[in-house]
């Protein structure tokens, strides 16, 4: 079962990476992020820093200035307190232990909204995330991620400790 699961994950992410490039815009930013960090949802991913642990320059490729600053502030809080501060899960997977297949990045009628769906291979549960995008001087960037079961990423990161 584990080897077929791994093959499914690899094939799912390979098909995402091999798909024709999305047109420039909000979809391209989100699809690029999942292409670059899709490995986070594969077994054994904990050995290297994930998206949220990346330096400002990498975060800025995907997130707007506000979200980048809030992610970095949360990281500094963790370093200072040696405890979990606001963020205790991987925001692009809505999970503390990401595992996903069938990742789809979908546009919408609103150019500032991108929908991502994926499936948990163990439970079969489908997850949908709504990305709220902002047009910046550097192009489209993620301004917020909305979840179905809890507050949005921006709301979580803005919470007072």
């Amino acid at each position: 079962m584990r080897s077929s699961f791994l093959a499914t994950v690899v094939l799912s992410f390979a098909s995402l990476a091999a798909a024709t490039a999305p047109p420039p815009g909000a979809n391209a930013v989100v699809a690029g992020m999942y292409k670059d960090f899709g490995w986070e949802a594969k077994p054994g991913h904990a050995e290297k820093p994930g998206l949220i642990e990346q330096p400002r320059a990498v975060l800025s490729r995907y997130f707007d200035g506000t979200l980048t600053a809030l992610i970095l502030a949360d990281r500094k809080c963790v370093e200072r307190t040696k405890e979990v501060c606001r963020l205790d899960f991987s925001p692009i997977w809505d999970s503390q232990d990401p595992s996903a297949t069938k990742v789809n990045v979908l546009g919408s009628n609103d150019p500032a909204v991108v929908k991502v769906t994926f499936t948990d291979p163990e439970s079969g549960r489908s997850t949908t995330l709504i990305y709220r995008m902002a047009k910046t001087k550097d192009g489209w960037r993620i301004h917020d991620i909305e979840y179905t079961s809890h507050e949005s990423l921006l709301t979580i990161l803005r919470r007072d400790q």
Side-chain angles (χ1 to χ4, degrees):
M1 164 114 180
R2 197 50 137 162
S3 63
S4 66
F5 160 73
L6 182 58
T8 302
V9 171
V10 170
L11 289 174
S12 294
F13 285 108
S15 63
L16 176 66
T20 59
N27 283 24
V29 172
V30 175
M33 179 182 64
Y34 278 95
K35 179 182 174 199
D36 294 343
F37 291 92
W39 57 264
E40 289 184 344
K42 296 178 187 177
H45 75 280
E47 294 138 16
K48 56 185 176 178
L51 174 62
I52 295 306
E53 290 86 25
Q54 297 299 311
R56 177 184 296 274
V58 174
L59 293 173
S60 296
R61 286 185 217 153
Y62 310 106
F63 302 106
D64 71 4
T66 300
L67 209 49
T68 296
L70 289 167
I71 291 167
L72 292 171
D74 189 66
R75 187 184 309 161
K76 283 186 181 185
C77 174
V78 170
E79 291 168 3
R80 185 179 65 253
T81 65
K82 306 293 187 237
E83 295 180 15
V84 172
C85 290
R86 291 169 193 87
L87 199 56
D88 67 347
F89 66 101
S90 173
I92 68 171
W93 303 106
D94 191 19
S95 176
Q96 291 177 332
D97 188 24
S99 180
T101 60
K102 301 177 187 170
V103 178
N104 293 300
V105 177
L106 310 164
S108 72
N109 292 334
D110 182 343
V113 174
V114 176
K115 185 187 294 188
V116 172
T117 63
F118 51 85
T119 303
D120 179 315
E122 297 295 320
S123 69
R125 182 180 69 103
S126 179
T127 298
T128 299
L129 306 178
I130 304 296
Y131 284 79
R132 299 288 173 181
M133 308 298 288
K135 185 78 166 188
T136 72
K137 65 178 177 58
D138 297 317
W140 288 100
R141 296 294 184 265
I142 301 162
H143 178 69
D144 198 6
I145 305 173
E146 295 177 359
Y147 309 97
T148 56
S149 61
H150 56 86
E151 297 173 308
S152 76
L153 179 60
L154 191 60
T155 301
I156 291 167
L157 290 171
R158 283 185 167 161
R159 245 191 259 144
D160 288 332
Q161 287 283 350

